[in-house]
Amino acid sequence: MRPVAKGKLVATAQGIEVHRPKSDIKGLFKSRGYTYLVIGLCLVCLGVFAPSFYLQIFASEKGVEEGLTSYTVAIINAASTIGTPVFTFTQVSTDSKVG
């Protein structure tokens, strides 16, 4: 029989039943490494997304014109659109060099 969604198909007299393994959510948090991973990823998300919420306020406090502060997020997004392929290409080309 074929497995369906990580379960097993079992033929019975009434028809076909799907038996799925029970998930142990509490067991995941008993693992110290997994817990550190989850906490670290939450901190990374805060570090990536929180500055974009306060970017306009920060720019206005630093004396940037009021009309330009509304475009700060768009400017950052445009810069990352240009910078991401350049960084990725540079990283791939340096990794592919053999020693």
Side-chain angles (χ1 to χ4, degrees):
M1 294 270 143
R2 295 177 62 188
V4 174
K6 294 186 179 181
K8 295 180 182 177
L9 288 176
V10 179
T12 62
Q14 290 82 19
I16 296 178
E17 295 179 4
V18 177
H19 292 280
R20 294 191 177 113
K22 293 182 181 179
S23 60
D24 184 23
I25 301 296
K26 292 180 184 177
L28 288 175
F29 290 101
K30 290 179 182 176
S31 169
R32 191 178 286 181
Y34 179 77
T35 305
Y36 288 149
L37 175 71
V38 169
I39 291 170
L41 290 175
C42 288
L43 292 175
V44 166
C45 287
L46 283 174
V48 169
F49 293 116
S52 64
F53 295 120
Y54 298 106
L55 187 62
Q56 293 175 337
I57 297 169
F58 180 74
S60 65
E61 287 177 356
K62 294 298 179 184
V64 177
E65 296 177 14
E66 197 66 31
L68 188 59
T69 58
S70 61
Y71 293 112
T72 54
V73 175
I75 292 168
I76 294 292
N77 285 335
S80 71
T81 303
I82 295 167
T84 301
V86 171
F87 176 73
T88 304
F89 177 72
T90 306
Q91 188 70 26
V92 169
S93 64
T94 57
D95 289 344
S96 63
K97 290 181 182 176
V98 178

